[in-house]
């Protein structure tokens, strides 16, 4: 299966499935009046989030605050005249050097460029120890990275955990900050949900599978995870109704750390494939199922080379065959009908009262017929 690299989105990029969900937070900052020599250390100073749940799902939003320390080169007034007059993008070319390939494939020789700028990758919230050689011209950079995601049909407590942090110098005075955030679900709540028997649900295991993932122009240094998403499900049975065939569109996405420096290091590669699964039933299928849910019970992966990875999956498909409907009592139905009638009357539009022509004159003479005769004069014209 050939995967193509995805575009690195800003300010955050979401990689998710029903089993696990990741967020990549990205932001670039430029330091004023200072040139960066190297990145010394980085740490997470704060990680806040909020959860809003309803019947349809959960909305999570939060902010991760990162503090990075860089060693700078301060430009004095005399030295400012000797600085490069070119733009920063042109100056960046002077920091690129050609790396000779270690393996030659026939007559083709691929030249790889490696940046001369400094970069740093840390695990979790760990603090890299600061150097004690020089303390002058150090610049402290504080970056706030907001994020937000929607989990449809999910219930329970989620905890965003900072997995990795990447800080890289991408210009003379520009710094790129990347944070890899993982949303972990509370296992206690998930175990309680699994204990509750689902009426009309049948779990059918699928045969184990092995996928060879090949990333086009890949430079994989470390694999973080592999996610599977399925959509556009459709099913049918054979003429004997003993087997159920489930068709869907399957998206496989690989989350990895790139070995190429000088830019984004937390990257993804994906591929869309149409798949078909065969589910065996003990009894003939009389009615088609209502919904389907895939869960990878035993998924692992191995990095084979800089562009290849082996993924092993063992999916279990949970099929919902019946839907439990709770019937209301007659009294509840009648009360609900009364409430709807009241609400319709309350919110009904009020029309203005239309007056009849000459109505005010008729009201004055309504009770007195004699006065009415006096006020009106009848004139007859005879035609000779």
């Amino acid at each position: 299966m050939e995967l193509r690299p995805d575009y690195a989105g800003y300010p955050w990029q979401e990689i998710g499935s029903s089993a696990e969900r990741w967020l990549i937070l990205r932001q670039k900052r430029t330091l004023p009046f200072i040139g960066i020599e190297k990145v010394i250390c980085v740490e997470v100073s704060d990680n806040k989030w909020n959860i809003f749940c309803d019947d349809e799902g959960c909305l999570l939003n939060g902010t991760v605050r990162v503090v990075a320390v860089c060693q700078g080169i301060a430009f004095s007034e005399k030295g400012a005249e000797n600085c490069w007059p070119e733009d920063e993008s042109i100056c960046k070319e002077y920091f690129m050097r050609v790396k000779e390939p270690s393996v030659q494939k026939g007559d083709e020789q691929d030249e790889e460029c490696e940046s001369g700028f400094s970069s740093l990758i840390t695990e979790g919230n760990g603090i890299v120890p600061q150097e004690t050689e020089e303390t002058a011209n150090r610049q402290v950079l504080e970056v706030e990275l907001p994020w937000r995601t929607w989990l449809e049909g999910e219930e329970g407590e989620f905890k965003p955990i900072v997995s990795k942090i990447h800080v890289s110098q991408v210009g003379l005075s520009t710094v790129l900050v990347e944070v890899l955030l993982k949303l972990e679900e509370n296992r206690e709540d998930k175990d309680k949900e699994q204990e509750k028997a689902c009426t009309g649900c049948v779990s059918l295991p699928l045969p184990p599978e092995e996928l060879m993932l090949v990333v086009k122009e890949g430079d994989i240094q470390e694999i973080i995870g592999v996610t599977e998403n399925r959509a556009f499900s459709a099913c049918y049975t054979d003429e004997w109704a003993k087997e159920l065939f489930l068709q869907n569109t399957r998206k496989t996405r690989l989350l990895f750390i790139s070995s190429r420096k000088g830019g984004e290091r937390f990257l993804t590669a994906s591929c869309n494939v149409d798949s078909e699964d065969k589910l065996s039933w003990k009894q003939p299928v009389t009615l088609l199922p209502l919904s389907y849910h895939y869960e990878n019970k035993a998924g692992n992966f191995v990095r084979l080379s800089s562009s290849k990875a082996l993924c092993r999956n063992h999916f279990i498909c949970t099929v919902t065959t019946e839907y439990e409907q709770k019937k209301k009592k007659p009294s509840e139905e009648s009360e609900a009908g009364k409430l709807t009638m009241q609400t319709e009357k309350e919110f009904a539009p009020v029309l203005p009262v239309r007056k009849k022509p000459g109505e005010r004159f008729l009201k004055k003479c309504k009770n007195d017929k004699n006065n009415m005769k006096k006020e009106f004069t009848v004139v007859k014209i005879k035609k000779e």
Side-chain angles (χ1 to χ4, degrees):
M1 183 181 296
E2 184 177 356
L3 308 180
R4 293 188 176 182
D6 298 329
Y7 183 79
Y10 285 79
W12 69 79
Q13 183 179 358
E14 184 176 354
I15 304 100
S17 64
S18 59
E20 56 183 357
R21 191 176 295 267
W22 302 82
L23 288 174
I24 304 176
L25 315 181
R26 295 187 179 96
Q27 194 174 128
K28 289 184 180 180
R29 295 287 296 274
T30 301
L31 301 178
F33 309 111
I34 190 171
I36 302 173
E37 183 180 357
K38 59 182 176 180
V39 180
I40 299 176
C41 64
V42 62
E43 64 173 326
V44 176
S45 61
D46 195 5
N47 184 14
K48 296 181 179 179
W49 68 91
N50 296 319
I51 303 176
F52 304 96
C53 294
D54 57 6
D55 297 336
E56 297 181 357
C58 295
L59 176 66
L60 286 82
N61 60 353
T63 304
V64 179
R65 184 175 297 176
V66 178
V67 178
V69 180
C70 303
Q71 182 69 35
I73 305 173
F75 296 106
S76 60
E77 296 180 359
K78 296 181 180 180
E81 300 176 356
N82 300 327
C83 294
W84 285 338
E86 289 85 1
D87 187 66
E88 181 177 330
S89 60
I90 302 176
C91 296
K92 185 178 178 180
E93 297 179 1
Y94 291 93
F95 288 86
M96 306 295 290
R97 60 176 181 269
V98 179
K99 182 180 179 182
E100 296 181 358
S102 58
V103 180
Q104 297 181 359
K105 298 180 181 180
D107 298 334
E108 298 179 358
Q109 294 182 1
D110 299 332
E111 294 184 354
E112 297 181 1
C113 294
E114 185 178 352
S115 174
F117 292 134
S118 62
S119 63
L120 185 64
I121 295 180
T122 63
E123 296 285 342
N125 300 337
I127 303 174
V128 178
Q130 300 183 3
E131 298 179 1
T132 58
E133 297 178 358
E134 298 179 1
T135 57
N137 298 331
R138 285 194 176 182
Q139 183 74 19
V140 179
L141 180 64
E142 187 173 356
V143 184
E144 289 187 358
L145 300 105
W147 59 273
R148 182 172 59 180
T149 184
W150 172 261
L151 303 177
E152 185 177 357
E154 299 285 348
E155 296 180 359
E157 293 292 333
F158 294 88
K159 183 178 181 181
I161 298 176
V162 178
S163 179
K164 293 179 183 293
I165 310 171
H166 170 233
V167 179
S168 175
Q169 180 185 358
V170 294
L172 297 179
S173 303
T174 307
V175 176
L176 169 65
V177 179
E178 285 186 306
V179 175
L180 184 61
L181 201 67
K182 183 178 182 181
L183 299 179
E184 288 190 352
E185 187 179 1
N186 192 358
R187 298 299 303 179
E188 295 180 358
D189 297 341
K190 194 169 184 179
D191 295 339
K192 290 179 181 179
E193 292 179 1
Q194 292 179 354
E195 289 177 359
K196 297 179 181 179
C198 178
T199 57
C201 293
V202 180
S203 297
L204 302 173
L206 300 179
E209 64 176 7
E210 290 188 357
L211 297 177
M212 179 66 71
L213 306 179
V214 180
V215 181
K216 188 178 181 180
E217 298 178 1
D219 48 359
I220 303 174
Q221 178 179 343
E222 180 184 350
I223 299 176
I224 300 174
V226 180
T227 61
E228 295 280 348
N229 291 334
R230 298 175 189 256
F232 307 108
S233 298
C235 63
Y236 62 92
T237 60
D238 56 359
E239 57 183 352
W240 303 105
K242 292 184 179 180
E243 293 181 344
L244 181 68
F245 297 91
L246 182 60
Q247 295 178 339
N248 47 48
T249 301
R250 179 175 175 180
K251 183 169 186 177
T252 304
R253 179 171 288 177
L254 177 67
L255 176 61
F256 63 95
I257 299 177
S258 175
S259 59
R260 187 173 300 176
K261 299 180 181 180
E264 296 85 0
R265 299 286 300 274
F266 302 148
L267 301 177
T268 61
S270 61
C271 177
N272 295 334
V273 178
D274 294 335
S275 64
E276 180 177 290
D277 298 324
K278 184 173 67 174
L279 306 178
S280 300
W281 294 76
K282 296 181 180 179
Q283 298 178 357
V285 182
T286 56
L287 294 175
L288 294 179
L290 297 174
S291 62
Y292 323 93
H293 176 71
Y294 285 88
E295 186 176 358
N296 194 0
K297 286 295 184 181
N300 52 13
F301 45 84
V302 179
R303 176 183 174 272
L304 301 179
S305 64
S306 61
S307 61
K308 293 183 180 180
L310 180 63
C311 180
R312 296 185 178 92
N313 299 321
H314 189 193
F315 289 98
I316 292 180
C317 182
T318 303
V319 181
T320 304
T321 58
E322 298 178 2
Y323 180 71
E324 184 180 1
Q325 298 180 355
K326 296 181 180 179
K327 295 184 179 180
K328 295 182 180 180
K329 297 179 181 179
S331 60
E332 294 179 358
E333 292 179 357
S334 59
E335 290 177 1
K338 291 179 182 178
L339 291 174
T340 54
M341 293 288 289
Q342 292 177 1
T343 52
E344 289 179 359
K345 290 180 181 179
E346 290 176 0
F347 294 100
V350 180
L351 299 177
V353 180
R354 184 179 178 182
K355 296 182 178 181
K356 298 179 181 179
E359 185 178 0
R360 61 176 182 172
F361 298 104
L362 295 174
K363 284 183 179 180
K364 291 180 181 179
C365 306
K366 185 176 182 181
N367 298 325
D368 194 354
K369 295 182 180 180
N370 296 325
N371 294 334
M372 187 183 298
K373 292 180 180 179
K374 293 179 181 179
E375 290 181 3
F376 289 94
T377 303
V378 180
V379 179
K380 293 183 179 180
I381 300 174
K382 292 183 178 181
K383 193 173 184 180
E384 292 181 0

